[in-house]
Amino acid sequence: MHNVLCEGEYVDSLTVARAIKEFSGIGTVIIHPVDSSAAVYDGGEVEVKGILCENPKKTTGGGDNFNSGFCAGLLAGLDIKSCLVSGMTTSYLYVKNGKCNSFDDIADAMTMYDDRV
């Protein structure tokens, strides 16, 4: 889709999210490639750099875990940037440990993004 909407090669997550939002009229667009996540929404945009897992135990399901972490952040009343961090942390721990993690584990690990937001 990014080739069509962005007229060429992949540039970055924010560019793709902007193009999808503009084309579709969707209120909030979230992009989560392996190394970052971005949101473009009515009222703003934000991107957070990710942390790559060097030795993943499991990769299938990482995106689903990102989605669950992001939605958990929304339900907790977090802002969009914090929801991205929650999603990326949930995904990272799942890929690293090969299993779903507890809310406490995720909350503790979210600090690894302190210098990235």
Side-chain angles (χ1 to χ4, degrees):
M1 178 178 262
H2 71 270
N3 286 340
V4 174
L5 295 177
C6 299
E7 300 177 3
E9 295 294 317
Y10 179 81
V11 181
D12 60 71
S13 298
L14 278 175
T15 300
V16 175
R18 280 186 211 114
I20 293 170
K21 182 172 181 358
E22 183 178 317
F23 175 79
S24 68
I26 295 171
T28 301
V29 175
I30 308 297
I31 302 287
H32 173 59
V34 175
D35 63 347
S36 66
S37 65
V40 176
Y41 54 97
D42 295 337
E45 59 184 42
V46 63
E47 183 175 29
V48 179
K49 299 297 178 196
I51 298 171
L52 293 176
C53 181
E54 294 295 322
N55 297 301
K57 286 192 177 176
K58 190 180 242 183
T59 56
T60 303
D64 293 332
N65 276 267
F66 172 85
N67 294 339
S68 67
F70 184 89
C71 289
L74 287 175
L75 291 170
L78 301 179
D79 62 27
I80 296 291
K81 182 184 270 187
S82 298
C83 289
L84 293 176
V85 171
S86 176
M88 290 194 319
T89 303
T90 303
S91 178
Y92 174 85
L93 290 176
Y94 175 80
V95 168
K96 179 182 177 208
N97 299 324
K99 66 180 181 70
C100 294
N101 294 270
S102 72
F103 283 118
D104 289 338
D105 291 338
I106 294 164
D108 289 344
M110 285 176 72
T111 59
M112 66 184 166
Y113 286 92
D114 284 350
D115 63 340
R116 294 168 184 266
V117 294

